[in-house]
Amino acid sequence: MSDWLEHTVQVEVEAPIDLVWSLWSDLEQMPRWMKWIDSVKIPPDNPDISLWKLKTGSLEFNWQSRILKVIPNQIIQWESIDGLPNQGAIRFYDRHNSSIVKMSISYAIPGMIGKIMDNLFLGRIVESTIQADLERFKEYALNVKAN
């Protein structure tokens, strides 16, 4: 039995939507700004599938995700199909001189872990980490824009 936790965070990036979209939609680059993501690989024969490895301290999780929906400059929606159960969407909002990046993610934690760690405590750690990831993405995008 698992409990599902959900988080939504967002950041405003002072860069055009085309740039923000192109950076984020290159999934293999995510370890550059996502602290816990060790690697993302896209199999050449199936670009809708991605193989993820999350690593923090001595914990390591692997999973496969499938892209469910892509609307360029608007949304990337996914769900895991193997490994760590998760699903979510990245939404992009064009503000002409800037872009909003909004991430919603849900993930299942086994009941055993939920009993060991208070779900609220775990949720706060995950949410603050994801928010920090978005802030790192913002800095990454601004550096790319400047160069």
Side-chain angles (χ1 to χ4, degrees):
M1 190 81 171
S2 296
D3 294 326
W4 280 82
L5 300 179
E6 182 175 349
H7 307 285
T8 300
V9 296
Q10 72 178 38
V11 68
E12 185 166 3
V13 181
E14 293 78 21
I17 195 78
D18 290 343
L19 173 65
V20 169
W21 171 265
S22 70
L23 294 174
W24 195 284
S25 61
D26 185 357
L27 299 180
E28 291 183 334
Q29 299 303 311
M30 286 200 178
R32 292 179 179 226
W33 62 83
M34 296 194 87
K35 178 180 169 182
W36 291 355
I37 301 300
D38 189 58
S39 67
V40 180
K41 302 287 183 213
I42 309 293
D45 60 332
N46 194 345
D48 288 338
I49 299 295
S50 50
L51 311 171
W52 295 73
K53 183 193 294 184
L54 180 150
K55 202 172 188 179
T56 179
S58 62
L59 293 176
E60 184 176 303
F61 298 99
N62 295 286
W63 70 92
Q64 287 185 26
S65 285
R66 174 183 28 234
I67 299 295
L68 298 175
K69 181 179 185 179
V70 174
I71 301 174
N73 296 342
Q74 292 182 30
I75 189 170
I76 302 170
Q77 184 178 6
W78 78 91
E79 71 177 357
S80 65
I81 55 174
D82 183 41
L84 184 69
N86 68 86
Q87 60 190 16
I90 308 295
R91 290 177 176 80
F92 302 85
Y93 302 93
D94 187 356
R95 296 294 182 250
H96 303 295
N97 295 324
S98 66
S99 305
I100 304 287
V101 179
K102 183 176 183 179
M103 176 185 234
S104 298
I105 183 168
S106 301
Y107 54 94
I109 57 168
M112 179 179 68
I113 292 177
K115 287 178 182 36
I116 295 169
M117 298 180 77
D118 172 55
N119 288 353
L120 295 174
F121 171 73
L122 179 62
R124 282 192 297 270
I125 291 172
V126 171
E127 193 161 302
S128 66
T129 299
I130 296 169
Q131 185 66 53
D133 289 342
L134 288 186
E135 295 296 334
R136 274 189 295 280
F137 173 76
K138 175 181 177 175
E139 293 305 313
Y140 178 74
L142 293 176
N143 286 335
V144 169
K145 178 185 167 192
N147 296 323

